[in-house]
Amino acid sequence: MIAQKKTWQSWSAIAHRTLKKCMVACVLFASGFVLAQENVIESITANQQGSNVIVKIALKNPVTKPPIGFSITSPARIALDFASTANAMGKSTQELGLGDVRNVNVVQAGDRSRLVFNLSRPLSYATTIENNAVIVTIDGSGGTATAVSSSGLPVAPKVATLTGKQAIRDIDFRRGVGGEGRVVVDLPSNQIGVDVRQQGQTIVVDFLKANLPEVLRRRLDVTDFGTPVQTVTVTSRGDNVHMVIEPKGLWEHSAYQSDTQMVIEVKPIKEEPNKLSQGTQGYRGEKLSLNFQNVEVRAVLQVIADFTGLNIITSDTVSGNLTLRLKDVPWDQALDIVMQAKGLDMRKNGTVLWIAPKDELLTKEKLELEQKAQIAELEPLKTETYQLNYQKAESFKLVFGLDGGDSGSKNRILSKRGSAVIDPRTNQLFVTDVPSKLEDVRKLVQKTDIASRQVLIEARIVEANDTFSKNLGAKLGFLDLRTARGGDTGYQIAGSNSRFAATGNLQGIGEQTGQAKVSDGSYTPNTQFVDMPANGINGVNPGSLAISLFSAAANRFLNLELTALEADGKGKIISSPRVVTADQLKALIEQGTELPYQQATSSGATSVSFRKANLKLEVTPQITPDGNIILDVDVNKDSVGQETRAGFAIDTKHVKTQVLVENGGTVVLGGIFQQTERDSVSKVPFFGDVPVVGNLFKTTARTNDKTELLIFITPKIVADRFSTTR
């Protein structure tokens, strides 16, 4: 009993000491929480002076630095973050109803409070510190806000670390990837005040309390850069440096500062009626405005996280301060600027962003990859069998690196320990590897071993011709038969012994006067002094009409023969080759004749070779996801031409193209149209030009030939047929 009593007393003492320690800890925790809240918001009042709304935020203790703030355009809001500050107003919303300022919401989260001003439209703001209060000036005119005191008097901007005016280091102009113009200003300090505003069709930038070297006082003509910016003019105006940027066309601008580098970016706006939104290419986040002066990087990332609703995890190694001015830029671009300024990078997993220095992330990823590689070296191997149904197993030789070439090893999908065996007889694959690689092979086989869709391609080659020819001619001759019938040939001249004879040529004159022997008993072949008959067409002789004028004694004749021939022909040749092939597989069909011809060899002997004169259709179809068909078509229409000494010539008609055709539709690949018109006249000079009578002294020929070739292609997707067993 005594022992039990002592034990109970000891346990009671321990419990008493423990409870006392807990109470002390609670008190210390409560006091620590109170100490963490260094300040509290007591009241918010507002008044309107002209177009400006001046809001006074009264706090319990003096404020050492202005709150971190940002603004957004849709919806129009201004947010201010007060660190280590609690809400002692007893309410979270206060109606203002002044100008475009509707109300203000006060939200407390942990040891900080956020004031959100709800506006009717986007407006600029400025803040200043006045004893225990923060004065927020909201410019209702739409211009750039200027900080004022509670009495409405302007407050000159304070430059904390500047003892005098410092000179601008450099001004440069660059062209961005998307055609935007960037004016880059190298500031002497991150504490230089910058005022960026748009005035009409120009952008005005004032660098407060700064000096401009003589070498930088110039006007830059940057038209040749191909950006909206035409000129950049930099001058000194009082204690400030004044810059005027003159763009043209449709444009929008943004300005941001990273440490001592100020960038004013002017990007073109393309009018696209079907595009729902316009903005910087590559950045699609909601726009916001930020104005930070020597603030911690972690605080900037926290503001972006609150704005976007993303979960941002920041590494412990992320540190440093940042001076940043951004106006109406997408939040993802703002985040990118912050990371570039501090050498950070991020990795995204769902809605969680891990932000850390680039070297740290790369080192971590390298270690993870090395661990995976070590695990893969020790992981047990398994063997699986894959049955191929629609493709040959030999096609996987290149995939597995089994072709024996150097390039094959680069196309392996197996691990270093993996191996594969191909059985052509059963069309199976036997793969041995780690389970993750086997899963990759299974997915590959599942995606590739599928039935190919069939396409029926029908071509129609129509060759039509229309020919017309017309020939006209005449024969005219004179014949004297008086000598043959015992009389005197010719005509007596002026009562003398001289006589005159006329006929077609000297041979005819000789036969009539007895100077030459009559060869055939007829004077007709040699009595024609106009011999221009019509030519035959395609082996058909022309028609003729002969007229003879003779004397009463039938011994003198004037003969006339008219010949004429007209040919009119029409023809049409239709060729219709058809072929069925699989998707993305070349098909070939041809029909024709092979012509032999002799060819000299290197030894001097001759050999017989053959050349094709045929109809050929070569086509490769590709079925698109929307059901249309892309065709690579090569059509030849050859025929046997004229015969030469070296052999027959080949008349070639060739079409090679690529077209997009709907399923079952017909497209005309091309056509060749030839027309030949020819008029020829052969005549006797002078006599052939006599009206009407001149037709007896000439021959005429007229030709009008037309040939047209058209090629039609009709592809059809063969419907898949599935057999079902009931």
Side-chain angles (χ1 to χ4, degrees), residues 597-617:
Y597 64 97
Q598 293 184 350
Q599 185 178 10
T601 61
S602 58
S603 61
T606 59
S607 62
V608 179
S609 302
F610 292 88
R611 184 179 178 183
K612 294 182 178 180
N614 57 2
L615 170 64
K616 183 181 72 173
L617 172 63

Side-chain angles (χ1 to χ4, degrees), residues 367-490:
L367 293 176
E368 291 178 354
L369 293 176
E370 291 177 351
Q371 292 176 358
K372 291 181 179 180
Q374 293 176 1
I375 294 174
E377 292 293 335
L378 302 175
E379 192 175 3
L381 301 179
K382 294 184 179 180
T383 302
E384 286 192 9
T385 304
Y386 305 93
Q387 178 67 51
L388 302 181
N389 300 318
Y390 299 100
Q391 63 175 336
K392 299 292 184 181
E394 289 86 348
S395 61
F396 282 82
K397 286 185 177 181
L398 182 62
V399 177
F400 293 145
L402 303 178
D403 55 346
D406 296 336
S407 61
S409 59
K410 299 180 181 179
N411 295 305
R412 294 173 59 99
I413 66 171
L414 304 178
S415 65
K416 296 180 180 180
R417 303 166 58 199
S419 62
V421 177
I422 297 176
D423 186 9
R425 186 182 66 84
T426 60
N427 205 37
Q428 290 182 343
L429 303 176
F430 302 92
V431 183
T432 302
D433 211 329
V434 296
S436 59
K437 292 296 182 179
L438 294 178
E439 181 64 19
D440 294 340
V441 175
R442 186 191 64 81
K443 293 180 180 179
L444 177 63
V445 172
Q446 186 178 2
K447 291 182 178 181
T448 58
D449 189 31
I450 57 177
S452 300
R453 304 182 69 179
Q454 307 291 315
V455 182
L456 171 65
I457 299 101
E458 179 179 1
R460 291 182 179 89
I461 305 173
V462 181
E463 186 175 4
N465 58 76
D466 188 356
T467 61
F468 175 80
S469 300
K470 183 173 70 174
N471 297 335
L472 298 175
K475 292 182 179 181
L476 182 64
F478 180 79
L479 179 64
D480 191 353
L481 295 178
R482 286 181 294 180
T483 300
R485 299 184 178 179
D488 297 330
T489 302

